[in-house]
Amino acid sequence: MNKTVNKKGIRDRLPSLILMLLLLAAWQTAAVIIDKNNILPAPTAIIRKIWELKETLFLKHLPETLLTVLSGWGLAIVIGVLLAVLMHFSLILEAMLHPVLLVTQTIPVMCISPLFVIWLGYTMGARLIAVVLSTFFAITLNTYQGLQSVDQRKKEWLLTCGAGRFSVFWHLEVPTALPAFMTALKMTIPWAVVDAAVAEWLGATQGLGYFSKRMITKMDGAGVFAPLVLLCILALLGMWILNVIDRKCITWRSEN
């Protein structure tokens, strides 16, 4: 059974893999024809640059970016879940908070990130705010909608049988909301990586975003792309981990 599933998974991924290889081949060919590394570095040149700068990238800048991503995203999860639960339990809070949350999503984080640097300097706090602002809303909204999507007949039946409100919340509403919550996590992990890099670009002394900006001043095209490749890998790795957790733990999704 597992072998059949694995073969099916490979077949499903084969078209995207072929397309990716074709795009990389076209990129490599175009880079060789143009022959200007500062304008369009070849994929092979970027890989060589990553290897040349491995100690700087992996030991200095990647850990800084990873810390920013995990701290900001983790804080966004805490805030998002807390707001979703408050809105779920109180119609008054839902009416008060929902418009405010919508307004926060109209604010371009990239444009106001320099303000965080002015207020807080080149600190982790400035970058955390940028990551939180870009990710917490989707977590809040998806989790809230998941909590609201509970089967009302099951809820009423549990209450009729004498279950307490907290018991209903923990044993019925939380499991119902988990798939939506996991979807929000998978949506926001790439945003967290991108906005952490943008925040580092605009105001930091370390991190992959900062390093890419520094390479621009040196007109090093491969050096600009090298940290960007690591950022892509970081986002894809995060999504893969979340997909594994989703398949392993949220087993009731296929049962509903």
Side-chain angles (χ1 to χ4, degrees):
M1 180 66 179
N2 289 336
K3 289 182 179 180
T4 303
V5 173
N6 290 336
K7 288 181 179 178
K8 185 178 183 301
I10 292 172
R11 285 199 303 269
D12 291 342
R13 292 178 175 83
L14 191 58
S16 59
L17 180 61
I18 292 173
L19 177 60
M20 186 179 299
L21 291 174
L22 289 174
L23 291 174
L24 287 173
W27 182 358
Q28 179 74 25
T29 302
V32 171
I33 292 173
I34 294 174
D35 195 23
K36 290 186 178 180
N37 184 63
N38 61 324
I39 296 177
L40 184 64
T44 52
I46 296 170
I47 293 172
R48 284 197 302 270
K49 181 62 69 171
I50 292 174
W51 179 253
E52 292 171 7
L53 300 172
K54 58 183 181 296
E55 291 187 4
T56 301
L57 290 173
F58 287 96
L59 299 182
K60 182 179 180 182
H61 296 290
L62 179 59
E64 185 72 13
T65 298
L66 187 59
L67 178 61
T68 301
V69 170
L70 293 180
S71 300
W73 188 54
L75 185 57
I77 292 171
V78 172
I79 294 173
V81 171
L82 179 61
L83 289 175
V85 171
L86 290 175
M87 291 166 59
H88 175 65
F89 275 99
S90 173
L91 291 175
I92 295 176
L93 286 176
E94 193 276 336
M96 292 172 57
L97 292 174
H98 198 264
V100 176
L101 296 177
L102 289 176
V103 169
T104 64
Q105 296 311 290
T106 65
I107 302 173
V109 176
M110 185 181 296
C111 295
I112 64 173
S113 288
L115 285 178
F116 304 149
V117 176
I118 293 174
W119 297 336
L120 302 174
Y122 291 167
T123 63
M124 175 69 73
R127 301 191 291 278
L128 291 183
I129 294 175
V131 174
V132 169
L133 283 179
S134 66
T135 55
F136 87 98
F137 176 76
I139 297 171
T140 302
L141 189 61
N142 276 46
T143 305
Y144 171 71
Q145 290 177 342
L147 291 170
Q148 292 292 100
S149 67
V150 67
D151 189 329
Q152 292 300 317
R153 290 174 299 179
K154 292 181 180 179
K155 181 177 178 179
E156 290 171 3
W157 180 79
L158 287 173
L159 292 172
T160 302
C161 291
R165 185 67 185 89
F166 178 78
S167 180
V168 172
F169 171 75
W170 185 251
H171 293 288
L172 178 63
E173 293 173 341
V174 169
T176 301
L178 273 176
F181 172 70
M182 290 300 299
T183 299
L185 296 189
K186 286 184 278 189
M187 286 171 54
T188 55
I189 186 62
W191 302 350
V193 172
V194 170
D195 282 287
V198 169
E200 290 170 349
W201 183 290
L202 295 174
T205 57
Q206 257 182 250
L208 295 175
Y210 162 78
F211 186 81
S212 180
K213 179 182 179 181
R214 197 177 77 183
M215 290 298 100
I216 288 180
T217 62
K218 297 183 178 182
M219 297 297 290
D220 186 345
V224 172
F225 275 90
L228 299 183
V229 170
L230 295 184
L231 287 169
C232 290
I233 293 173
L234 188 61
L236 291 172
L237 180 61
M239 293 177 68
W240 177 78
I241 292 172
L242 290 172
N243 278 324
V244 170
I245 294 173
D246 199 9
R247 288 196 301 268
K248 296 290 185 182
C249 300
I250 317 298
T251 55
W252 52 83
R253 176 179 293 181
S254 59
E255 297 173 359
N256 292 337

